[in-house]
Amino acid sequence: MNVIANPCGFSGNTPLPENIFTNDMVYYKTVVNGISGKVIKWAVLVMPKQKEAIVKALGTTSGNLSRLYSKATLDTHQTEEILDIIKLYTEVYDVFGSVNKADLWLSMSVPALRGEQPINLLDTFIGRKLVRETINKIRFGDFS
């Protein structure tokens, strides 16, 4: 597996394929084949403020999260959940240009989300879809 350095400004290398977020077939094959628990550990280290969303999305508890770190291969559902959270975080980072600004926006009450904090919506697919739609409106200046 190739590793990509510094996706969305993260320091160090990621344990993900180089073009996972730009090539849908690479993304699909990664989901089908599963990722190791090391990806969860890495994600929690580089996105600590998203830990609770990761815990909820994976259907576990904070206390049991570390048990997933040692899994050789996560199931398809867990893989898809964690990758989608990382992908969305990358999109938010791309819009705001820094981890601090991305974290700040994710924790703010957003009128376009009926006052919800985006971070509270990251644990479900539909929640991430709403956040992704909002971030795309910001990206493209579409506030009709």
Side-chain angles (χ1 to χ4, degrees), residues 5 20 74 98:
I20 189 165
L74 300 173
S98 80

Side-chain angles (χ1 to χ4, degrees), residues 17-102:
E18 181 177 340
N19 54 350
I20 189 165
F21 299 133
T22 57
N23 184 316
D24 288 341
M25 191 51 71
V26 170
Y27 190 94
Y28 170 78
K29 287 182 179 183
T30 303
V31 169
V32 170
N33 293 329
I35 56 175
S36 82
K38 291 177 184 177
V39 175
I40 297 173
K41 185 175 183 178
W42 170 83
V44 170
L45 287 172
V46 297
M47 304 181 314
K49 294 186 179 182
Q50 279 60 286
K51 180 179 180 180
E52 192 57 36
I54 291 169
V55 166
K56 286 182 179 178
L58 294 175
T60 190
T61 64
S62 289
N64 288 329
L65 186 64
S66 62
R67 292 180 185 186
L68 293 175
Y69 296 168
S70 61
K71 287 187 83 171
T73 307
L74 300 173
D75 67 34
T76 302
H77 172 74
Q78 292 170 322
T79 297
E80 197 161 31
E81 291 290 325
I82 192 70
L83 288 179
D84 197 42
I85 290 171
I86 295 168
K87 182 178 182 183
L88 179 56
Y89 190 80
T90 301
E91 293 168 15
V92 173
Y93 171 88
D94 287 344
V95 167
F96 292 105
S98 80
V99 169
N100 289 338
K101 289 178 183 176

